[in-house]
Amino acid sequence: MTSDDSAVVELTDVRKEYSDSVALDGLSLTIRAGEAVAVMGPSGSGKSTLLNMVAGLDRPTSGSVVVNGEDLGRLSETGLALYRRRRIGMIFQFFNLLDDLPALDNVALAAQLTGTSPAQARRRALELLDELGIAGRRNVYPARLSGGERQRVAVARALMNRPALLLADEPTGALDSRAGEQVMDLLLDLNQIGQTLLLVTHDEGLATRCASRLVEVVDGRVARESRLERTP
Amino acid sequence: MSAVWRVARAAARRRRLQTIVIGVVVGVSTATMVLALGLLTSASAPFDRAHQQQSGAHLVAVFDGPGDGLAETAGRPAVAAAAGPFAQVTVDVAMTSRIGMPLTVAGRADPGGAVDRLTVWQGRWADAPGEIVLNEPPGERGPWSLGERVDVAGGRTFTVVGFAYSVSRSADAWVTPAQMSALNPDSAQMLYRFTAAGTAEEIAAAETAVTAGLPLLGTQSYLTLKQEVAAETAVYIPLLIVFGVLGMAVAVLIVANVISGAVVAGYRHIGVLKALGFTSNQVLAVYLLMVTVPAVVGCVLGAVLGHVTAVPLLADAFAGFGTTEIAIDAWVYALAALGMPAVVVVTALLAALRARGLSAAQAISAGSAPSVGRALAVQRVLSGARLPRSVSLGLGVPFARPARSALTLAAIVLGVMTVTLASGVTTSVTSYRAAVEPPTENRVELLAAPPRGFPGPQRLPEPTLSDAEDEALLRSLPGAAAVAAVARLPVGVVGGDPAEVYFHRGDRDLGPVVLSGHWPAAPDEVAVPSRFLNQRGLSLGDAITVEFDGDRTRLRVVGVVLTNPADEVYASWSALTALAPGTRAHSYLVELRPGSDRQAYVDAAADGDPGLTPIPPDEGGSSQAVVLIGFATLMTLVLAAVSALGVFNTVVLISRERRRDLGMLKSIGMTPRQVTVMMVTSMGVLGVVGGLIGLPLGVAAHALIAPAMMRAAQADVLDIVMDVYHAPLLALLALAGVVIAVLGAYLPARGAGRATIAEVLHTE
């Protein structure tokens, strides 16, 4: 695969071995700016490992992972942390919000880590919560928010530092259908305004609705790629 | 039960680090308690045993004259048994002998009797003129051997035919009554056992009853001897007890923290156990077993460590007492073996009862549902603070689990208290040593004529100048600021141990500091250290009777001086003139002006009189001071480390419980260093608070312990010992809490910063 100037993510022949198994077996994948790519596959196929590689949460045994021109394999642990802080945003199936902080402070946290002042971070967080329609719940703690609201807070937090790439791991997996729909709409809207998106999901509905390309992973390899026509 | 055991064993293995922490902490606490209780209970045991075996005298009373009418005192109401009268005389060992102290000799026909039944442990009893039996503890090697000759003043010579031991210290040596008559005794001793002799008051009342109307010279109570024997170890006891209690308290806090942490972190585990069919009591048993096993192991090892440490300390303390039976009462070990695990189990029980009371459904849901945030107001305030976010997040962590933070804080407080107390004790001991032994850098001591018993080389050059000429020479040499001449005479003290009298002439400042009263001026005045008074039950203003060269002199105590030995008496030169006319100074103390060349001064003195030999300054501290400082330092390090282990344990628990939060923070860009800073900060804030609370508590503990130690050493409580906490030391000690917290937190915090997080973020 040749390097592509518009590529945000380039995985080349990535292999990841654990002590008793191979999670990724020479996987290559390119994601271009503005794309929304959904990764699907059976349990244990290597989807989450793929996401961890792109997020810089794990390192490949061999091969390279380049995001926004930065080879993650060359970065130290601190370098990877700074990469996660500045380049990507992540949302998870189980939200991973801090229970001790209200919605607004959970969102502002991401900016505060970059050295933004508390007041400025809160202003930006409030804007995002407003855009996502939950500004009224800004002072509520995660335990008192619904699942859909928690995921919106998580999305706001992920967008806080204007990431080049938004990573989502089963973002609707823990939500009821109505909340899931809302989150799907949100992701679609984000992609339509240019946000590059990498989704890992079991949910075919989510994939076909939000993604422009579907990558099927089986046994740690890309088994099939297809363009998707988004369903309304 | 096997299922419970299996699960408990697995739980302990899973928490290997905390299991080890419990074992270590309980072990250290047990060792300290065994040491403290062992010394406390065994300090006077060998004396009591020997005193009982020998039917030891409750009171040794010495009367003036040949002892007429003393036998009748055996029938007075307070007396249970009596021995004597035995004629007594103090003989002066001649200069040619290897020791110079006077010997108090009593005339006794045999070693038995109703009171003070002597143990002849080598040789035989004296039964002919010219034979002498010396008082030495069994196994002790004195200056003489069996069959050797003892030359005394007046040209008499005795042959040592036996060694006997009197726990009552009724005499230094015994001869036959016929021999005693030839020595012209001037006094007689009576040895009494009283019907009631448990307290000093009872002894005093009985003494009044038996000595009324008689020419009493002096008495010696067995309680005074007992105190003297116990004093060596008694100094350590207050410190050991406090350290033992502090160690136990820290152990309790850590156990409570570990168990409550295990219960909180193990809600799901508890739920699963209950769902599998474990009864509530079985779940309780799992959590109790989990800590009881390491606690028992730690306790056994701690008891062994305490024993190994206590026995040499006791053996050292009783070395001069002559007993070889050093044993700590069995109940001390029993108490440690049962008591410490019991404390641990009770602590664990309280924490584990939460696990017992949870239903399976409650437990499982509690393990997975997000909790409602705690201490939310604090977190909100910190969110807006202009601090690095890792610091502000760290500051909020202790508020999430207030009970756990309180336990950790308490461990830090105890750690700071220990450090503060130990620093105070060390400073007190150092200040005391500095006060009783002034700095030697500007001082020169020159020996002119060795006094009797001087332990240095015996063949020294004779002084070529007279006493007055030597003093004048030393004053005239460049650099001399002050000069004092000192003569030393060993004397017998009627009714007690012998003493050494230091006669001073010249500059007063070179003598010891006078704490109360005044420096002796008249020939019948002396100053003594407080230990001299306390060991003999005397007070300022009382009189003592000393014996020298067969003469008896009554001296009045007019001052209390600051010196450590209990057997030193200070007097003016006029007293020497009265007691031993013509005696020259044995040594000269010279204070040099700052910046003077010490060696040049010594050389100049030797040029003036080759008989002036410099005495090397005594640079070493007393062994007791070294042991005390060493022990306090060791215990400080151990207990501070144990407190730090408490912090360590807390950070491990927090890291495990909040691994999802930590993972999330790393996923949004928190660096490993920021995670470390956050976790260390969370404990650092407890360290600051712990320092502020522990510091005054440590100072208060010192205010209790230091006087107790001084009294145990039979010394007076001095300001220099009490007033040790000055601003710079306090400022340093206030940081002790932060140091303990940071040291304890750093490793697990760094571990949390480096932990992989990928998996935890994707699972519930």
Side-chain angles (χ1 to χ4, degrees):
Chain A
M1 186 174 280
T2 55
S3 181
D4 186 336
D5 285 347
S6 65
V8 175
V9 178
E10 274 189 288
L11 287 92
T12 309
D13 204 15
V14 174
R15 184 176 172 82
K16 178 65 184 177
E17 294 172 7
Y18 294 108
S19 56
D20 54 351
S21 63
V22 176
L24 296 178
D25 187 12
L27 184 144
S28 296
L29 178 67
T30 301
I31 301 171
R32 291 180 186 81
E35 263 195 306
V37 175
V39 178
M40 295 189 72
S43 293
S45 60
K47 305 186 299 292
S48 291
T49 307
L50 165 62
L51 196 76
N52 289 341
M53 296 293 156
V54 177
L57 294 174
D58 208 346
R59 293 172 187 274
T61 309
S62 62
S64 72
V65 180
V66 177
V67 180
N68 247 23
E70 204 155 23
D71 185 348
L72 303 192
R74 294 176 184 276
L75 297 179
S76 64
E77 281 302 312
T78 302
L80 285 174
L82 297 178
Y83 155 77
R84 287 193 292 271
R85 189 185 292 178
R86 292 168 187 154
R87 304 279 184 223
I88 63 164
M90 289 188 79
I91 51 178
F92 304 93
Q93 180 177 1
F94 299 107
F95 327 120
N96 291 330
L97 300 176
L98 288 184
D99 292 338
D100 296 338
L101 297 178
L104 182 73
D105 288 334
N106 259 291
V107 177
L109 190 60
Q112 285 179 280
L113 283 177
T114 65
T116 309
S117 72
Q120 209 176 337
R122 278 179 169 168
R123 265 198 304 277
R124 162 92 176 130
L126 190 57
E127 281 170 19
L128 281 167
L129 289 176
D130 191 36
E131 283 173 25
L132 297 178
I134 51 168
R137 307 283 281 162
R138 63 182 177 277
N139 291 326
V140 178
Y141 288 87
R144 304 280 180 227
L145 294 171
S146 70
E149 287 171 332
R150 278 186 227 165
Q151 197 59 296
R152 280 166 183 263
V153 173
V155 171
R157 184 183 63 194
L159 296 173
M160 191 68 188
N161 293 331
R162 298 181 177 87
L165 177 65
L166 186 62
L167 304 173
D169 181 18
E170 301 284 8
T172 58
L175 302 176
D176 59 36
S177 57
R178 188 164 168 274
E181 289 280 327
Q182 290 173 339
V183 170
M184 281 186 227
D185 288 344
L186 181 58
L187 293 176
L188 185 59
D189 291 347
L190 286 169
N191 181 240
Q192 283 175 345
I193 58 170
Q195 177 68 56
T196 310
L197 201 60
L198 175 59
L199 286 171
V200 167
T201 182
H202 277 105
D203 184 349
E204 207 170 325
L206 173 68
T208 53
R209 182 137 168 213
C210 299
S212 53
R213 184 153 61 107
L214 178 66
V215 175
E216 285 183 69
V217 177
V218 178
D219 295 334
R221 290 168 170 273
V222 175
R224 197 157 63 96
E225 282 193 67
S226 54
R227 290 271 155 206
L228 292 173
E229 288 298 320
R230 285 175 176 148
T231 55
Chain B
M1 192 63 195
S2 65
V4 168
W5 171 247
R6 216 167 287 162
V7 172
R9 199 174 56 175
R13 278 183 181 166
R14 200 168 57 246
R15 297 174 180 83
R16 193 168 295 157
L17 210 56
Q18 285 149 307
T19 304
I20 292 170
V21 168
I22 291 175
V24 169
V25 171
V26 171
V28 168
S29 311
T30 308
T32 316
M33 288 307 284
V34 166
L35 193 57
L37 289 175
L39 292 186
L40 184 65
T41 59
S42 308
S44 59
F47 179 89
D48 289 340
R49 215 164 18 236
H51 197 260
Q52 195 179 6
Q53 279 168 2
Q54 290 192 354
S55 189
H58 290 139
L59 189 78
V60 176
V62 181
F63 299 91
D64 200 10
D68 296 338
L70 295 182
E72 286 85 71
T73 59
R76 293 194 179 181
V79 180
F86 301 122
Q88 177 183 309
V89 69
T90 299
V91 295
D92 212 20
V93 177
M95 288 291 282
T96 49
S97 284
R98 275 172 288 178
I99 64 163
M101 293 300 283
L103 286 181
T104 299
V105 185
R108 274 177 76 163
D110 64 82
V115 182
D116 195 29
R117 288 195 286 264
L118 308 176
T119 314
V120 182
W121 56 272
Q122 193 178 24
R124 60 175 173 77
W125 192 251
D127 56 14
E131 293 181 346
I132 193 166
V133 175
L134 298 174
N135 186 4
E136 290 286 351
E140 288 284 304
R141 282 275 149 234
W144 291 282
S145 303
L146 207 60
E148 220 176 323
R149 291 155 68 93
V150 179
D151 300 319
V152 300
R156 289 179 193 278
T157 300
F158 292 96
T159 304
V160 179
V161 295
F163 288 98
Y165 176 53
S166 166
V167 72
S168 307
R169 288 194 212 162
S170 55
D172 300 322
W174 297 273
V175 294
T176 62
Q179 175 69 74
M180 177 52 68
S181 300
L183 288 172
N184 301 319
D186 52 5
S187 56
Q189 61 174 228
M190 280 297 290
L191 315 176
Y192 299 103
R193 283 184 69 83
F194 298 130
T195 48
T199 64
E201 289 72 28
E202 286 174 341
I203 296 275
E207 180 187 323
T208 308
V210 294
T211 61
L214 295 167
L216 182 69
L217 286 174
T219 58
Q220 177 179 269
S221 159
Y222 84 108
L223 291 177
T224 308
L225 291 177
K226 187 174 168 176
Q227 268 179 6
E228 203 179 306
V229 168
E232 178 77 18
T233 51
V235 177
Y236 304 110
I237 290 170
L239 198 61
L240 280 167
I241 288 177
V242 170
F243 280 138
V245 170
L246 285 173
M248 195 165 68
V250 175
V252 165
L253 291 170
I254 290 180
V255 167
N257 205 358
V258 168
I259 289 293
S260 54
V263 171
V264 170
Y267 272 159
R268 181 184 287 273
H269 181 239
I270 293 165
V272 171
L273 289 179
K274 290 194 169 180
L276 283 173
F278 276 68
T279 64
S280 296
N281 286 337
Q282 282 175 318
V283 171
L284 183 70
V286 166
Y287 280 81
L288 287 184
L289 268 177
M290 199 173 83
V291 288
T292 306
V293 172
V296 168
V297 172
C299 185
V300 170
L301 294 177
V304 172
L305 182 66
H307 174 83
V308 167
T309 317
V311 168
L313 252 182
L314 285 169
D316 183 49
F318 297 134
F321 184 67
T323 181
T324 50
E325 297 171 42
I326 304 299
I328 294 174
D329 292 351
W331 70 263
V332 171
Y333 296 108
L335 186 73
L338 300 173
M340 280 304 291
V343 168
V344 169
V345 168
V346 168
T347 309
L349 185 67
L350 295 174
L353 281 173
R354 278 172 80 184
R356 184 180 182 277
L358 283 171
S359 75
Q362 251 182 328
I364 289 173
S365 65
S368 58
S371 59
V372 175
R374 289 186 174 84
L376 306 174
V378 175
Q379 293 285 15
R380 290 218 66 180
V381 170
L382 289 169
S383 290
R386 293 188 70 85
L387 290 168
R389 200 61 181 106
S390 50
V391 172
S392 59
L393 279 172
L395 291 175
V397 169
F399 298 95
R401 289 207 181 276
R404 174 180 299 161
S405 300
L407 289 173
T408 312
L409 176 65
I412 296 173
V413 166
L414 294 178
V416 174
M417 198 177 153
T418 307
V419 174
T420 307
L421 170 62
S423 303
V425 167
T426 304
T427 313
S428 293
V429 172
T430 310
S431 304
Y432 181 75
R433 297 301 310 171
V436 297
E437 288 173 7
T440 53
E441 66 265 25
N442 287 329
R443 284 208 175 182
V444 176
E445 188 172 6
L446 296 151
L447 192 65
R452 280 182 270 186
F454 183 74
Q458 297 299 297
R459 291 178 182 278
L460 292 171
E462 291 289 323
T464 55
L465 301 179
S466 70
D467 186 8
E469 287 168 339
D470 272 335
E471 187 181 342
L473 165 74
L474 295 173
R475 284 188 188 284
S476 67
L477 293 176
V483 177
V486 180
R488 287 164 57 178
L489 282 186
V491 296
V493 179
V494 176
D497 286 341
E500 189 100 17
V501 186
Y502 288 74
F503 300 91
H504 272 244
R505 184 184 75 213
D507 291 306
R508 161 71 198 93
D509 290 348
L510 292 171
V513 173
V514 177
L515 293 171
S516 53
H518 62 84
W519 183 253
D524 66 338
E525 291 181 345
V526 290
V528 295
S530 56
R531 294 180 72 192
F532 181 98
L533 295 176
N534 295 335
Q535 284 190 1
R536 289 166 170 81
L538 298 169
S539 308
L540 190 65
D542 285 352
I544 57 169
T545 304
V546 299
E547 292 177 321
F548 178 73
D549 267 347
D551 290 331
R552 196 170 285 150
T553 309
R554 209 163 163 77
L555 301 168
R556 202 157 47 86
V557 179
V558 296
V560 178
V561 290
L562 180 60
T563 60
N564 193 45
D567 54 359
E568 288 182 357
V569 176
Y570 292 84
S572 66
W573 200 261
S574 61
L576 178 69
T577 309
L579 208 62
T583 305
R584 67 161 294 157
H586 296 120
S587 62
Y588 300 93
L589 276 173
V590 182
E591 178 82 27
L592 299 177
R593 289 193 191 90
S596 302
D597 185 339
R598 182 191 167 90
Q599 191 55 48
Y601 185 89
V602 169
D603 292 344
D607 286 345
D609 183 350
L612 293 174
T613 311
I615 300 174
D618 180 14
E619 300 291 357
S622 81
S623 64
Q624 197 171 52
V626 171
V627 170
L628 270 174
I629 291 173
F631 178 75
T633 308
L634 178 70
M635 289 312 295
T636 303
L637 290 175
V638 169
L639 285 182
V642 165
S643 296
L645 275 178
V647 175
F648 176 97
N649 175 57
T650 299
V651 177
V652 169
L653 285 174
I654 293 173
S655 302
R656 284 187 184 162
E657 278 173 29
R658 306 193 73 162
R659 62 188 187 279
R660 180 186 293 278
D661 290 350
L662 293 176
M664 183 282 290
L665 289 168
K666 288 166 96 172
S667 78
I668 62 170
M670 191 175 256
T671 62
R673 179 174 292 191
Q674 284 177 310
V675 174
T676 307
V677 167
M678 181 180 78
M679 299 302 279
V680 170
T681 303
S682 70
M683 294 297 107
V685 67
L686 294 181
V688 170
V689 178
L692 293 176
I693 299 172
L695 184 64
L697 290 177
V699 172
H702 177 267
L704 290 174
I705 299 300
M709 288 172 69
M710 292 299 289
R711 279 192 284 268
Q714 299 178 320
D716 287 345
V717 181
L718 308 172
D719 286 347
I720 49 163
V721 171
M722 298 306 297
D723 186 20
V724 293
Y725 292 106
H726 304 296
L729 179 63
L730 287 173
L732 269 179
L733 290 171
L735 294 174
V738 178
V739 173
I740 289 171
V742 170
L743 286 179
Y746 181 69
L747 280 181
R750 206 174 65 152
R754 290 178 171 182
T756 52
I757 53 164
E759 196 178 335
V760 73
L761 290 170
H762 302 297
T763 54
E764 192 178 2

